[in-house]
Structures are given as C-alpha cells and as structure tokens.
Amino acid sequence: MNSNANLFVALRDAFPADLDATAIEAADASAFYTWRDLDRATAMIANLLASLELPAGSRVAVQTEKSVEALMLYLAVLRAGLVYLPLNTAYQAAEIEYFIGDAEPAVVVCAPKNFGWISRIAFKAGTRNVFTLDDERGGTLLQRAAQMSDVQAPAVRRGDDLAAILYTSGTTGRSKGAMLSHANLLSNALTLKAYWRWQPGDVLIHALPIFHVHGLFVASHGALLNASKMIWFSKFDARAVIARLPDATVFMGVPTLYVRLLAEPALTRDACRHMRLFISGSAPLLIETFDAFRERSGHTILERYGMSETSMLTSNPCAAEDGERRGGTVGFALPGVGLRVCDEQGRPVRSGEIGGIQVKGPNVFKGYWRRPEKTAEEFTPDLWFKTGDVGQVDADGYVTIVGRSKDLIISGGYNVYPAEIEGFLNEMPGVAESAVIGVPHPDFGEAVVAVVVARPGATPEADPLIEALKAKIANFKVPKRVFVAAELPRNAMGKVQKNVLREQHRALFDA
Ligand code: MCA
Ligand code: AMP
C-alpha cells in the first residue's frame, strides 16, 4: 500500500514496464513522447515549481493552448503537490482578472503572446511568478525547467489535499472554484477504468480541450491509468480524427463532435472497425445523433453524465452483462456514487418521477474555494450535493436528465451562464435590460441568443452589441443573435418568462 496519496503517484505507478514505448503520439505523427519522456519532463517542471519554495496549497493557474507540454505541466503540478487551476483559452482580460483575483495563484502560466496583459493582471493580484508556454515547446517555463534535474520524488499528499480547482458557476451566481482533492480524482478515475473496461492495447483519441473535466480528467486519467497510448489532437478536426480511427480503440467527445463526425462521408463502419468504445458527455446527446451514429458506424455511443464538482456520476454500461446502452438516458449511477431524485421539499420521489438530482460519493468535491456559505447552500443537511439538474430514475435504474433548475446554457459542451451575459449587455449604452436564452442549434446543441430592451430614446442595434461583447468576453459566450424588443414577457410576479422567449425563437437555427 502506497502511503503517498498524490494522484500523480497512482498515475505513474500505472506506467508500463517498457518506458520507451510511446505514451503520446501527435495526431499528424510529427512527434512521439515515450513514458520516460513524461516521467522526466514532469520531474523537471516539478523541480522548477519546487525551487520556488511555495507554501503548501499554492495554486498554479494555466491558460495555454493545448499541447502535450501543457498536459505535462498539469502532471508536474500534481507531482509537486501544488493545486492546478486550468483556464479556458477563450477567456479575455475581464474574465482572467476575476479568476486570478479570486484564486490568488502563486504561479501563472500563459501563452507568450498574452504575457503583457496577463502578467500585468497577475502581478497586480500579488502573483510573483509568471511563466510562458506556447504550443511549439517555446516559452520560459520549459527554458527554466531544462536546467532542472530529471529526478524528483513526488510530494507527499493526503487524499483530502487539493489537487485542482475548476471554476464553474454551480447553480447560481458568479463563477466559483470547485475544490477537487487527489482522492476525488483518483476514485473517479479508478471507477471509470473498471466500468468502461479499459483493456491492454486500448488507444485513446484525445481531441478535447484540457481545461475541463472531460479532456483533462476523464480522458487523460483514463489513458494514463491504463498505460494506454494517446493520439493527441491539439484541436478537434472531424476528418483528421476519422483518419486516425483505425489506429485507435476509444474516443471521447461532446455531442457537437459526434454531429461533426456524422457530417463527414468518411465516417463508415469500415473506418470504425478497430474501435471498441465511443463515449459522449458534457451535454445532452440527441437521440437522432445516437441513432444516426449507430446506423453509420455500427457502434452504440455510451453516454455518461458528470459535473465539474463531482467528475463522473452516471454511465451507460460498457459491458453487455451490465445492461444495454439506452439512447436518451445517461445510464446508471456509477459504482460507489449515490444518486437520488428529490422533490422541492427535498423528499426522495418514487422511481419514474421527476425531481432534482442529488449525489454523494468519494468523487464529490470539497466545496467552493473561499465560499463556505455557497458550499453550504448547495448541500442538503444530510450532505447530498444538489446538482441543479432535473431528472428521473426508471425502475431499471437508468437515469434520464430532463432539464436543469439552474439557468445554464450548454453550447458545444461549454457552459454559459445567462446572468453573466445579461450583466454585460445591461451595461452597454442604450440597453435598459436583457434576457439571454439557449435555443436549439444543429451544431452546438444549444446556441446563445439575447433579447434586449432599449432605453427610452435609444436605438441599440444587434451587430454592434455583438461586436462589443466579443471584445469583452470569451467568444463562445457571445450571443449568436441579438433581438431588440419593446419589452420582455413577464409573469404576474414580474419575473421574465424565458420559456416564452425560448418558444418564440426555437426555430431560429433550423436548417
Ligand atoms: C467555438 N465557438 C463556439 C463554440 N466553440 N460557439 C459556441 N459554442 C461553442 N462551444 C465559436 C467561436 O467563438 C468562433 O466564433 C467559431 O465558433 C469558430 O471557433 P473555433 O475555435 O474554430 O471553433 P471550433 O474549434 O470548431 O470549436 C468547436 C468545438 C469546441 C470543437 C466544439 O467548442 C470544443 O472543443 N468543445 C468541447 C468543450 C468541452 O470539452 N467541454 C467539456 C466540459 P466566431 O466565428 O464568432 O469567432 S467538461 C463538462 O462539461 C462536464 C464535467 C462533463 O460532463 O464532461
Ligand atoms: P460543468 O459543471 O461545467 O462541468 O457542467 C456540468 C453540467 O453539464 C451538468 O450539471 C449537466 O447539466 C451537464 N451535463 C453533463 N453531461 C451531460 C449529459 N450527458 N447529458 C445532459 N447534461 C449533461
């Protein structure tokens, strides 16, 4: 029994005996990294971080393009016993300023092209160390790490110690840092390794970003714990992915990736003949996509459900003996995960009835960073976590998500909080108020749409509002369309009826 509960130790213990085998291959076969490379590079970066003599629990905030070196940086942060804080590459100054101000990282790593503005924000917030890393192995992080020893003893951590903080809006309000421990992440990774029957010879196509649970934890931990090779895409490209399917066995994607794969005639049964498992999650997979994929590829997509605060919660079965994969459902609560559905009074409902989904288990996070009152609000008195998702469990145990009680839009697998966008819109000249909604979109699943009301005498226009938002917030949050209306529909209590707006605009993106 290893007494060091550092997640990195568990991942490294799973490395294969042959350290010169390929661990990660660039999708275009332009670079190959062995397991020894992973070990040595993470040791060097961890030694660099250790040389900074940071207090335990220090955060390392990272906003860089996807690269194998960026994954190594994540592993090195674990190895050094520090806390990893990934940031979406689309975030702009106001967003970065908020995260850095809230998390107070000791180290920030950013793309060289952003060093000017990000370092200004970081130094102002008291961060002492700002390094750069680009997607071609350039930047000060690797330059400095190159001078370090390639031997390092992983920092000793307890299971409860923090490994990562992921910012998410939870059910309400501004983005909050979900604190995940080494034990949270390891327990989920081990559960998925067994439930998804990872096996010798599995090869993963890694085509998701590495600043979210899906690409960073579910995909990477899965491959690493199984000593599986990853075929590494710095960006999703449907044609290029299909070209590599014959060399792989496992693929993970958000529904948009499946929609885009289906749009390619090259997606055929023959192209998928070597594949063992296609997994979807992060957003609802339409039954049409599930059916069309089965028809074209001969594979039944395994849909699963999770959250930043909890990692994975439910999954359709992998092995036939565990049951069939049912489209439109997210499968069973994973082994070790407690899941119940409750009514508004917090009482568990009967099977088949709809209510709020609550969960419990070793995967559930330690709370929101420096927000004990928010943390308390989102747990029941008997310590079940309220997901904000609305669903039902049928008599066989299959969970179906039917909606969300939180006002959240999921566009192409990215979460957008209407209140945040409304806040920016309401500050724009000429705008009196606004309502932001999600409507069906053929590519992104849901698309962000805004309805604004003009101030008296003002005539705000859609395109300039969209342009102004693009200069302030991450592009994926910017409404694809903005409408100017005389007023917003309200109920008797004065609350904006977003369902009325969603109904009005539901066919906006129909083909
Ligand atoms: C890009 N754009 C988007 C999105 N992505 N708009 C709305 N929603 C999006 N998701 C916009 C850009 O702003 C840009 O707009 C235009 O599309 C083209 O940008 P580009 O970067 O070229 O887009 P892309 O490369 O085609 O990206 C689409 C994508 C990407 C590959 C689907 O969004 C993606 O990788 N999504 C996966 C997200 C993910 O990993 N989620 C997991 C969360 P303009 O033309 O105006 O400039 S983890 C999670 O939710 C939980 C725990 C779970 O269960 O997994
Ligand atoms: P995040 O906290 O950003 O990771 O987003 C988590 C949210 O994504 C969940 O609370 C769900 O609303 C949603 N989600 C994840 N997986 C699925 C799925 N398979 N089906 C429907 N919604 C999902």
Side-chain angles (χ1 to χ4, degrees), residues 168 282-284 303-308 330 389 404 406 410 415:
T168 166
S282 309
E303 185 173 3
R304 64 25 167 216
Y305 152 64
M307 291 184 76
S308 298
V330 291
D389 291 307
R404 302 171 201 131
K406 50 194 173 193
I410 306 183
N415 291 6

Side-chain angles (χ1 to χ4, degrees), residues 268-304:
T268 58
R269 281 179 186 241
D270 191 46
C272 298
R273 69 192 179 281
H274 193 240
M275 290 293 292
R276 180 175 74 79
L277 188 58
F278 286 93
I279 299 173
S280 175
S282 309
L285 181 72
L286 293 181
I287 192 75
E288 293 84 345
T289 312
F290 176 87
D291 289 340
F293 199 84
R294 178 146 64 185
E295 180 67 31
R296 278 276 287 288
S297 71
H299 285 268
T300 307
I301 296 174
L302 178 158
E303 185 173 3
R304 64 25 167 216

Side-chain angles (χ1 to χ4, degrees), residues 205-406:
I205 290 196
H206 195 305
L208 287 161
I210 54 168
F211 40 70
H212 280 310
V213 166
H214 202 159
L216 185 64
F217 300 153
V218 185
S220 306
H221 292 170
L224 292 169
L225 260 190
N226 195 52
S228 275
K229 183 170 93 172
M230 290 189 248
I231 300 179
W232 192 258
F233 286 78
S234 53
K235 198 172 187 308
F236 174 75
D237 172 337
R239 269 184 220 178
V241 164
I242 294 168
R244 295 306 311 263
L245 290 176
D247 307 313
T249 63
V250 182
F251 176 81
M252 299 188 193
V254 300
T256 299
L257 304 201
Y258 287 99
V259 170
R260 292 187 181 185
L261 287 173
L262 278 165
E264 294 299 328
L267 182 83
T268 58
R269 281 179 186 241
D270 191 46
C272 298
R273 69 192 179 281
H274 193 240
M275 290 293 292
R276 180 175 74 79
L277 188 58
F278 286 93
I279 299 173
S280 175
S282 309
L285 181 72
L286 293 181
I287 192 75
E288 293 84 345
T289 312
F290 176 87
D291 289 340
F293 199 84
R294 178 146 64 185
E295 180 67 31
R296 278 276 287 288
S297 71
H299 285 268
T300 307
I301 296 174
L302 178 158
E303 185 173 3
R304 64 25 167 216
Y305 152 64
M307 291 184 76
S308 298
E309 288 92 334
T310 63
S311 299
M312 297 305 98
L313 292 165
T314 74
S315 173
N316 268 282
C318 178
E321 70 218 48
D322 292 334
E324 58 166 348
R325 293 179 205 155
R326 287 196 192 157
T329 84
V330 291
F332 304 119
L334 281 164
V337 173
L339 184 145
R340 68 184 193 188
V341 177
C342 292
D343 64 18
E344 284 188 357
Q345 283 70 46
R347 292 176 304 229
V349 302
R350 282 196 299 255
S351 96
E353 287 179 11
I354 290 173
I357 297 178
Q358 303 183 352
V359 295
K360 214 176 205 178
N363 51 313
V364 176
F365 73 136
K366 300 280 138 206
Y368 294 111
W369 171 251
R370 290 182 180 161
R371 294 229 189 359
E373 62 305 328
K374 278 282 164 209
T375 305
E377 269 171 33
E378 305 215 2
F379 281 86
T380 64
D382 54 348
L383 300 180
W384 289 74
F385 174 61
K386 298 185 262 185
T387 62
D389 291 307
V390 175
Q392 65 191 105
V393 185
D394 74 9
D396 298 335
Y398 283 88
V399 179
T400 302
I401 309 222
V402 300
R404 302 171 201 131
S405 60
K406 50 194 173 193

